Amino acid sequence: QVQLVESGGGLVQAGDSLRLSCAASGRTFNIAKMGWFRQAPGKERELVAIITWDTGSTMYTDSVKGRFTISRDNVKNTMYLQMNSLKPEDTAVYYCAARPPTTGAYEYWGQGTQVTVSS
């Protein structure tokens, strides 16, 4: 099992920045990819960004490209999401998730952290 704990959410104004953290513990050797997802009220959960744990390669959904940066610290077993130039439409609960190498599914999830961007 892998346990994930997010932190860093909050209430900010449009144009501000926030950095989310996701600390992983447990069987962290069983992580192939980690990602950030978000879910806004009344909307489906969407993928924000993914990072491959060993290579550090990344991908982003179009709406956050150029504004958000995903990164990881393999020593601390922690993933980050640096969010700059925040917009009201970024308001959501942000979740981190981890995917084992043997499946295509994100099996481990954090509890979520609220990000609210006021206009």
Side-chain angles (χ1 to χ4, degrees):
Q1 290 288 335
V2 174
Q3 293 78 43
L4 303 174
V5 178
E6 302 102 333
S7 60
L11 171 63
V12 297
Q13 293 186 330
D16 285 351
S17 298
L18 274 177
R19 189 176 82 155
L20 305 183
S21 299
C22 174
S25 60
R27 298 169 64 91
T28 56
F29 60 85
N30 200 35
I31 296 175
K33 293 181 185 288
M34 291 190 71
W36 288 99
F37 295 76
R38 67 185 180 187
Q39 187 166 21
K43 295 187 177 182
E44 293 188 355
R45 185 173 60 197
E46 66 168 341
L47 173 66
V48 176
I50 295 173
I51 189 164
T52 301
W53 199 245
D54 56 355
T55 67
S57 64
T58 61
M59 70 84 68
Y60 300 89
T61 192
D62 286 346
S63 62
V64 307
K65 284 181 181 177
R67 300 189 299 123
F68 290 11
T69 302
I70 189 171
S71 62
R72 91 279 188 245
D73 184 326
N74 297 64
V75 175
K76 295 181 178 180
N77 288 326
T78 301
M79 176 178 66
Y80 304 97
L81 186 67
Q82 178 67 43
M83 305 185 293
N84 299 330
S85 303
L86 282 162
K87 304 176 181 180
E89 51 264 43
D90 295 318
T91 295
V93 177
Y94 284 70
Y95 300 90
C96 68
R99 197 187 91 180
T102 54
T103 74
Y106 284 83
E107 296 187 356
Y108 309 109
W109 292 84
Q111 81 286 357
T113 185
Q114 177 71 46
V115 172
T116 303
V117 185
S118 63
S119 58

